[in-house]
Protein backbone atom coordinates (compact mmCIF):
# COMPACT_ATOMS: atom_id res chain seq x y z
CA UNK A 1 0.00 0.00 0.00
CA UNK A 2 1.38 3.40 -0.94
CA UNK A 3 0.65 6.79 0.58
CA UNK A 4 -2.02 7.72 -2.00
CA UNK A 5 -4.05 4.60 -1.29
CA UNK A 6 -3.67 5.12 2.46
CA UNK A 7 -4.97 8.70 2.14
CA UNK A 8 -7.93 7.50 0.10
CA UNK A 9 -8.76 4.90 2.72
CA UNK A 10 -8.49 7.47 5.51
CA UNK A 11 -10.79 9.79 3.54
CA UNK A 12 -13.40 7.05 3.14
CA UNK A 13 -12.92 6.04 6.76
CA UNK A 14 -13.59 9.53 8.05
CA UNK A 15 -16.72 9.83 5.90
CA UNK A 16 -18.00 6.47 7.17
CA UNK A 17 -16.88 7.28 10.69
CA UNK A 18 -18.92 10.48 10.62
CA UNK A 19 -22.03 8.36 10.00
CA UNK A 20 -21.12 6.04 12.86
CA UNK A 21 -20.43 9.11 15.01
CA UNK A 22 -24.00 10.34 14.54
CA UNK A 23 -25.16 6.90 15.66
CA UNK A 24 -22.78 6.93 18.60
CA UNK A 25 -24.05 10.34 19.72
CA UNK A 26 -27.63 9.05 19.72
CA UNK A 27 -26.61 5.89 21.56
CA UNK A 28 -24.76 7.83 24.29
CA UNK A 29 -27.61 10.34 24.58
CA UNK A 30 -30.25 7.63 25.09
CA UNK A 31 -28.10 5.61 27.50
CA UNK A 32 -27.09 8.59 29.64
CA UNK A 33 -30.70 9.61 30.22
CA UNK A 34 -32.58 6.29 30.23
CA UNK A 35 -29.87 3.59 30.85
CA UNK A 36 -31.05 1.87 27.66
CA UNK A 37 -28.27 0.54 25.41
CA UNK A 38 -30.27 0.93 22.21
CA UNK A 39 -28.52 -1.65 20.03
CA UNK A 40 -31.49 -1.65 17.63
CA UNK A 41 -30.99 2.06 16.97
CA UNK A 42 -29.86 1.37 13.40
CA UNK A 43 -33.36 0.19 12.45
CA UNK A 44 -34.58 3.79 12.62
CA UNK A 45 -31.84 4.71 10.15
CA UNK A 46 -32.94 1.98 7.77
CA UNK A 47 -36.54 3.21 8.03
CA UNK A 48 -35.38 6.75 7.24
CA UNK A 49 -33.48 5.70 4.10
CA UNK A 50 -36.29 3.38 2.95
CA UNK A 51 -38.92 6.06 3.59
CA UNK A 52 -37.07 8.59 1.45
CA UNK A 53 -36.53 5.97 -1.27
CA UNK A 54 -40.28 5.20 -1.31
CA UNK A 55 -41.18 8.88 -1.54
CA UNK A 56 -38.73 9.37 -4.40
CA UNK A 57 -40.32 6.36 -6.14
CA UNK A 58 -43.68 8.13 -5.78
CA UNK A 59 -44.98 5.45 -3.41
CA UNK A 60 -46.68 5.82 -0.05
CA UNK A 61 -43.95 4.95 2.50
CA UNK A 62 -44.82 2.03 4.76
CA UNK A 63 -43.56 4.07 7.70
CA UNK A 64 -47.00 5.69 7.94
CA UNK A 65 -48.49 2.35 8.99
CA UNK A 66 -45.77 1.79 11.60
CA UNK A 67 -46.45 5.25 13.06
CA UNK A 68 -50.20 4.53 13.21
CA UNK A 69 -49.67 1.11 14.82
CA UNK A 70 -47.34 2.51 17.49
CA UNK A 71 -49.61 5.51 18.09
CA UNK A 72 -52.58 3.18 18.63
CA UNK A 73 -50.62 1.05 21.09
CA UNK A 74 -49.33 4.14 22.91
CA UNK A 75 -52.86 5.55 23.27
CA UNK A 76 -54.10 2.20 24.55
CA UNK A 77 -51.35 2.06 27.20
CA UNK A 78 -51.98 5.69 28.17
CA UNK A 79 -55.72 5.00 28.52
CA UNK A 80 -55.10 2.00 30.78
CA UNK A 81 -52.60 3.96 32.87
CA UNK A 82 -54.90 6.97 33.29
CA UNK A 83 -57.86 4.73 34.16
CA UNK A 84 -55.85 2.98 36.88
CA UNK A 85 -54.75 6.33 38.34
CA UNK A 86 -58.29 7.77 37.92
CA UNK A 87 -56.98 10.68 35.85
CA UNK A 88 -59.11 10.33 32.74
CA UNK A 89 -59.62 14.11 32.69
CA UNK A 90 -55.99 14.45 31.59
CA UNK A 91 -56.55 12.12 28.62
CA UNK A 92 -56.57 15.05 26.18
CA UNK A 93 -52.85 15.52 26.79
CA UNK A 94 -52.14 11.91 25.88
CA UNK A 95 -54.41 12.16 22.86
CA UNK A 96 -52.52 15.23 21.65
CA UNK A 97 -49.04 13.85 22.43
CA UNK A 98 -49.47 10.30 21.13
CA UNK A 99 -52.32 10.74 18.67
CA UNK A 100 -52.48 14.17 17.05
CA UNK A 101 -48.76 15.01 16.84
CA UNK A 102 -47.57 11.67 15.38
CA UNK A 103 -50.50 11.58 12.96
CA UNK A 104 -49.86 15.03 11.48
CA UNK A 105 -47.05 13.97 9.06
CA UNK A 106 -49.00 10.78 8.31
CA UNK A 107 -51.99 12.84 7.19
CA UNK A 108 -49.73 14.96 4.99
CA UNK A 109 -48.24 11.81 3.44
CA UNK A 110 -51.69 10.32 2.83
CA UNK A 111 -53.21 13.48 1.36
CA UNK A 112 -50.40 14.38 -1.02
CA UNK A 113 -51.65 13.64 -4.53
CA UNK A 114 -48.11 12.99 -5.71
CA UNK A 115 -44.65 12.76 -4.17
CA UNK A 116 -43.11 14.41 -7.22
CA UNK A 117 -42.12 17.43 -5.14
CA UNK A 118 -38.77 19.18 -4.54
CA UNK A 119 -36.17 17.02 -2.81
CA UNK A 120 -36.03 19.39 0.18
CA UNK A 121 -39.72 18.71 0.86
CA UNK A 122 -39.17 14.96 0.44
CA UNK A 123 -36.39 15.07 3.06
CA UNK A 124 -38.47 17.17 5.47
CA UNK A 125 -41.41 14.75 5.12
CA UNK A 126 -39.07 11.80 5.75
CA UNK A 127 -37.68 13.35 8.92
CA UNK A 128 -41.21 14.27 10.08
CA UNK A 129 -42.33 10.65 9.65
CA UNK A 130 -39.31 9.21 11.50
CA UNK A 131 -39.38 11.65 14.44
CA UNK A 132 -42.51 10.19 16.13
CA UNK A 133 -41.07 6.68 16.06
CA UNK A 134 -38.63 7.47 18.88
CA UNK A 135 -41.12 8.72 21.50
CA UNK A 136 -43.69 6.10 20.46
CA UNK A 137 -41.17 3.26 20.80
CA UNK A 138 -40.18 4.58 24.21
CA UNK A 139 -43.80 4.79 25.36
CA UNK A 140 -44.80 1.36 24.08
CA UNK A 141 -41.67 -0.69 24.84
CA UNK A 142 -39.37 0.98 27.34
CA UNK A 143 -41.42 3.30 29.57
CA UNK A 144 -43.39 0.44 31.17
CA UNK A 145 -40.08 -1.18 32.17
CA UNK A 146 -38.00 1.93 32.92
CA UNK A 147 -37.14 0.65 36.41
CA UNK A 148 -35.75 -2.63 35.09
CA UNK A 149 -32.05 -3.50 35.22
CA UNK A 150 -29.65 -2.36 32.51
CA UNK A 151 -29.28 -5.95 31.31
CA UNK A 152 -33.06 -6.37 30.96
CA UNK A 153 -33.31 -3.09 29.04
CA UNK A 154 -30.45 -4.22 26.78
CA UNK A 155 -32.26 -7.48 26.01
CA UNK A 156 -35.48 -5.59 25.27
CA UNK A 157 -33.61 -3.22 22.95
CA UNK A 158 -32.14 -6.18 21.06
CA UNK A 159 -35.54 -7.86 20.75
CA UNK A 160 -37.07 -4.68 19.31
CA UNK A 161 -34.96 -5.19 16.18
CA UNK A 162 -36.88 -8.27 15.06
CA UNK A 163 -40.41 -6.80 14.81
CA UNK A 164 -38.94 -3.58 13.38
CA UNK A 165 -37.03 -5.47 10.68
CA UNK A 166 -39.98 -7.79 10.03
CA UNK A 167 -42.38 -4.89 9.56
CA UNK A 168 -39.84 -3.15 7.32
CA UNK A 169 -39.73 -6.29 5.17
CA UNK A 170 -43.55 -6.26 5.02
CA UNK A 171 -43.81 -2.54 4.23
CA UNK A 172 -40.87 -2.09 1.83
CA UNK A 173 -40.23 -5.60 0.50
CA UNK A 174 -37.00 -7.60 0.27
CA UNK A 175 -35.48 -5.39 -2.41
CA UNK A 176 -32.70 -2.98 -1.51
CA UNK A 177 -33.01 0.74 -2.24
CA UNK A 178 -30.77 3.73 -2.81
CA UNK A 179 -31.97 7.30 -2.69
CA UNK A 180 -31.11 10.02 -5.19
CA UNK A 181 -27.98 12.10 -4.68
CA UNK A 182 -28.69 15.28 -2.74
CA UNK A 183 -25.40 16.80 -3.88
CA UNK A 184 -22.76 15.87 -6.45
CA UNK A 185 -19.23 16.85 -7.40
CA UNK A 186 -15.77 16.69 -5.85
CA UNK A 187 -13.44 19.18 -4.21
CA UNK A 188 -9.71 18.84 -4.86
CA UNK A 189 -7.44 19.24 -1.85
CA UNK A 190 -4.08 18.79 -3.51
CA UNK A 191 -3.32 15.09 -3.39
CA UNK A 192 -6.87 13.79 -2.99
CA UNK A 193 -10.38 14.57 -4.14
CA UNK A 194 -13.13 14.74 -1.54
CA UNK A 195 -16.72 14.24 -2.61
CA UNK A 196 -19.19 16.98 -1.77
CA UNK A 197 -21.36 14.29 -0.17
CA UNK A 198 -18.61 13.43 2.33
CA UNK A 199 -18.16 17.11 3.17
CA UNK A 200 -21.91 17.41 3.85
CA UNK A 201 -21.78 14.37 6.17
CA UNK A 202 -18.82 15.72 8.17
CA UNK A 203 -20.38 19.20 8.29
CA UNK A 204 -23.63 17.72 9.58
CA UNK A 205 -21.69 15.88 12.29
CA UNK A 206 -19.91 19.07 13.40
CA UNK A 207 -23.14 21.09 13.38
CA UNK A 208 -25.09 18.48 15.35
CA UNK A 209 -22.26 18.03 17.87
CA UNK A 210 -22.14 21.79 18.52
CA UNK A 211 -25.95 21.96 18.73
CA UNK A 212 -26.07 19.10 21.27
CA UNK A 213 -23.31 20.76 23.31
CA UNK A 214 -25.23 24.04 23.35
CA UNK A 215 -28.48 22.28 24.23
CA UNK A 216 -27.07 20.35 27.19
CA UNK A 217 -24.77 23.12 28.48
CA UNK A 218 -26.76 26.30 27.81
CA UNK A 219 -30.46 25.48 28.10
CA UNK A 220 -32.55 24.71 31.18
CA UNK A 221 -34.20 21.80 29.40
CA UNK A 222 -30.83 20.27 28.55
CA UNK A 223 -29.59 20.70 32.11
CA UNK A 224 -32.76 19.00 33.36
CA UNK A 225 -32.02 16.03 31.11
CA UNK A 226 -28.45 15.86 32.44
CA UNK A 227 -29.78 15.96 35.99
CA UNK A 228 -32.05 13.03 35.18
CA UNK A 229 -29.07 11.11 33.83
CA UNK A 230 -27.04 11.70 37.01
CA UNK A 231 -29.79 11.02 39.58
CA UNK A 232 -33.29 10.13 38.43
CA UNK A 233 -34.75 10.07 41.95
CA UNK A 234 -33.24 13.44 42.85
CA UNK A 235 -34.46 14.89 39.56
CA UNK A 236 -37.98 13.65 40.30
CA UNK A 237 -37.86 15.24 43.76
CA UNK A 238 -37.07 18.67 42.30
CA UNK A 239 -39.94 18.40 39.82
CA UNK A 240 -38.35 16.97 36.68
CA UNK A 241 -40.55 14.40 34.95
CA UNK A 242 -38.33 11.39 34.28
CA UNK A 243 -40.77 9.91 31.74
CA UNK A 244 -40.70 13.17 29.76
CA UNK A 245 -36.90 13.11 29.86
CA UNK A 246 -36.93 9.65 28.29
CA UNK A 247 -39.39 10.77 25.64
CA UNK A 248 -37.21 13.77 24.81
CA UNK A 249 -34.09 11.61 24.58
CA UNK A 250 -35.79 9.24 22.15
CA UNK A 251 -37.16 12.20 20.14
CA UNK A 252 -33.66 13.65 19.69
CA UNK A 253 -32.25 10.20 18.91
CA UNK A 254 -34.95 9.64 16.28
CA UNK A 255 -34.06 12.98 14.72
CA UNK A 256 -30.40 11.96 14.53
CA UNK A 257 -31.40 8.63 12.98
CA UNK A 258 -33.61 10.38 10.42
CA UNK A 259 -30.79 12.70 9.35
CA UNK A 260 -28.32 9.80 9.24
CA UNK A 261 -30.63 7.75 7.04
CA UNK A 262 -31.01 10.65 4.62
CA UNK A 263 -27.22 11.12 4.51
CA UNK A 264 -26.32 7.47 3.82
CA UNK A 265 -29.20 6.81 1.41
CA UNK A 266 -27.34 7.72 -1.82
CA UNK A 267 -24.16 5.78 -0.98
CA UNK A 268 -25.50 2.58 0.55
CA UNK A 269 -28.07 0.09 -0.67
CA UNK A 270 -30.41 -0.27 2.30
CA UNK A 271 -32.46 -3.41 2.95
CA UNK A 272 -35.06 -4.01 5.63
CA UNK A 273 -32.47 -5.51 8.00
CA UNK A 274 -29.48 -3.31 7.13
CA UNK A 275 -29.92 -1.06 10.12
CA UNK A 276 -28.91 -3.60 12.74
CA UNK A 277 -25.33 -4.00 11.48
CA UNK A 278 -24.90 -0.24 11.02
CA UNK A 279 -26.29 0.35 14.49
CA UNK A 280 -23.91 -2.18 16.01
CA UNK A 281 -20.92 -0.40 14.49
CA UNK A 282 -22.13 2.88 15.94
CA UNK A 283 -22.59 1.07 19.25
CA UNK A 284 -18.95 -0.10 19.11
CA UNK A 285 -17.90 3.52 18.64
CA UNK A 286 -19.99 4.55 21.63
CA UNK A 287 -18.61 1.64 23.67
CA UNK A 288 -15.06 2.92 23.15
CA UNK A 289 -16.14 5.94 25.19
CA UNK A 290 -17.87 3.77 27.78
CA UNK A 291 -21.28 4.84 26.36
CA UNK A 292 -20.91 7.89 28.58
CA UNK A 293 -18.56 10.40 26.96
CA UNK A 294 -19.62 12.27 23.81
CA UNK A 295 -16.05 13.26 22.72
CA UNK A 296 -14.74 9.71 23.24
CA UNK A 297 -17.76 8.34 21.37
CA UNK A 298 -16.91 10.62 18.44
CA UNK A 299 -13.29 9.46 18.53
CA UNK A 300 -14.35 5.82 18.76
CA UNK A 301 -16.77 6.13 15.86
CA UNK A 302 -14.13 7.73 13.63
CA UNK A 303 -11.74 4.93 14.61
CA UNK A 304 -14.38 2.38 13.65
CA UNK A 305 -14.88 4.09 10.30
CA UNK A 306 -11.14 4.14 9.50
CA UNK A 307 -10.70 0.52 10.58
CA UNK A 308 -13.73 -0.43 8.49
CA UNK A 309 -12.18 1.27 5.47
CA UNK A 310 -8.76 -0.40 5.83
CA UNK A 311 -10.30 -3.80 6.61
CA UNK A 312 -12.44 -3.54 3.46
CA UNK A 313 -9.28 -2.91 1.42
CA UNK A 314 -7.52 -6.01 2.68
CA UNK A 315 -10.50 -8.36 3.03
CA UNK A 316 -14.11 -7.23 2.66
CA UNK A 317 -15.28 -10.57 4.08
CA UNK A 318 -13.47 -9.94 7.36
CA UNK A 319 -14.12 -6.20 7.77
CA UNK A 320 -17.01 -6.67 10.22
CA UNK A 321 -14.94 -9.06 12.33
CA UNK A 322 -12.10 -6.54 12.49
CA UNK A 323 -14.47 -3.79 13.67
CA UNK A 324 -16.22 -5.87 16.31
CA UNK A 325 -12.85 -7.18 17.54
CA UNK A 326 -12.32 -3.63 18.83
CA UNK A 327 -14.67 -4.53 21.67
CA UNK A 328 -12.24 -7.12 23.07
CA UNK A 329 -9.51 -4.71 24.28
CA UNK A 330 -12.23 -2.29 25.43
CA UNK A 331 -13.85 -4.93 27.63
CA UNK A 332 -10.47 -6.09 28.98
CA UNK A 333 -9.34 -2.52 29.71
CA UNK A 334 -12.59 -1.52 31.41
CA UNK A 335 -12.59 -4.74 33.42
CA UNK A 336 -9.05 -3.96 34.62
CA UNK A 337 -9.99 -0.34 35.33
CA UNK A 338 -13.09 -1.26 37.34
CA UNK A 339 -11.16 -3.90 39.32
CA UNK A 340 -8.48 -1.31 40.15
CA UNK A 341 -11.12 1.16 41.40
CA UNK A 342 -12.73 -1.52 43.59
CA UNK A 343 -9.35 -2.42 45.10
CA UNK A 344 -8.60 1.26 45.82
CA UNK A 345 -11.98 1.67 47.54
CA UNK A 346 -11.35 -1.45 49.65
CA UNK A 347 -7.91 -0.10 50.67
CA UNK A 348 -9.53 3.12 51.85
Amino acid sequence: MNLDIALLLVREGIAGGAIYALLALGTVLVFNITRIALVSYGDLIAYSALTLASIQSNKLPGTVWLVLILAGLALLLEGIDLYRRKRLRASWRSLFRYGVLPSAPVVVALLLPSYDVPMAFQIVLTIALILPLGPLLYRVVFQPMRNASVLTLLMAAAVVHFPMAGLALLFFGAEGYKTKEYISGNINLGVIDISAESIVVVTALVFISVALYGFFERTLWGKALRATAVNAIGARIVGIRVASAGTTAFLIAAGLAAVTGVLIGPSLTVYSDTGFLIGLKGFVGAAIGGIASYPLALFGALLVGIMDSFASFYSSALKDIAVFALLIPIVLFRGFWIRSEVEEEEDL
Side-chain angles (χ1 to χ4, degrees), residues 156-168:
V159 170
V160 164
H161 160 71
F162 297 101
M164 289 283 286
L167 288 173

Side-chain angles (χ1 to χ4, degrees), residues 331-348:
V331 172
L332 292 176
F333 174 76
R334 293 191 66 81
F336 174 77
W337 181 265
I338 292 173
R339 188 165 56 248
S340 299
E341 287 185 341
V342 171
E343 289 175 355
E344 288 178 2
E345 290 178 359
E346 289 177 350
D347 292 339
L348 293 175

Side-chain angles (χ1 to χ4, degrees), residues 273-292:
D273 59 349
T274 299
F276 193 62
L277 184 59
I278 300 173
L280 282 181
K281 290 184 178 178
F283 183 80
V284 172
I288 291 176
I291 322 182

